[in-house]
Amino acid sequence: MPTHEKRTVQPNKQELLNRLKRIEGQVRGVQNMIDDDKYCVDILHQISAIQSAMKKVSISLMEDHTHHCVANAIEKGDKEETIEELMDVMKRMM
């Protein structure tokens, strides 16, 4: 699969970075929990929270992408390629 060099300015860049930094801290917390032999269910709850937080980041990026990148590409006449790319991303997310 070819590597895409498309770039965009993330309208919510700082918000996304802040969320990802919190998630990074949560992951380190899970590492510590495992290292400290914490109860499995407690670790699984933290992992579930991390997964939920990552889904929120993905949804936020998908919304921004759809409202900006996809809309602009369709306006420029790249409708089919853009819709194919969007559907591919959605399939991967599911």
Side-chain angles (χ1 to χ4, degrees):
M1 182 170 275
T3 307
H4 296 281
E5 285 297 321
K6 296 178 184 179
R7 294 177 185 262
T8 188
V9 175
Q10 294 298 328
N12 300 310
K13 184 176 186 173
Q14 196 56 53
E15 179 185 329
L16 291 171
L17 290 173
N18 290 343
R19 282 183 175 192
L20 289 169
K21 287 176 186 177
R22 278 193 303 273
I23 292 167
E24 182 180 25
Q26 288 177 295
V27 171
R28 277 195 303 275
V30 168
Q31 290 171 331
N32 291 335
M33 290 175 79
I34 291 171
D35 192 41
D36 295 340
D37 297 319
K38 298 293 182 183
Y39 185 53
C40 296
V41 172
D42 294 337
I43 296 169
L44 290 168
H45 284 203
Q46 289 303 311
I47 291 171
S48 177
I50 292 166
Q51 290 171 327
S52 177
M54 285 300 298
K55 283 181 184 177
K56 288 179 184 177
V57 170
S58 295
I59 289 169
S60 178
L61 277 169
M62 180 62 79
E63 285 183 56
D64 289 342
H65 178 67
T66 303
H67 286 291
H68 299 99
C69 302
V70 172
N72 290 338
I74 289 172
E75 286 176 8
K76 292 178 183 176
D78 296 331
K79 180 181 174 183
E80 292 305 317
E81 178 184 340
T82 302
I83 291 172
E84 278 184 37
E85 181 182 58
L86 179 61
M87 293 308 299
D88 184 49
V89 169
M90 291 180 72
K91 288 174 189 174
R92 290 177 192 209
M93 287 179 65
M94 291 180 177

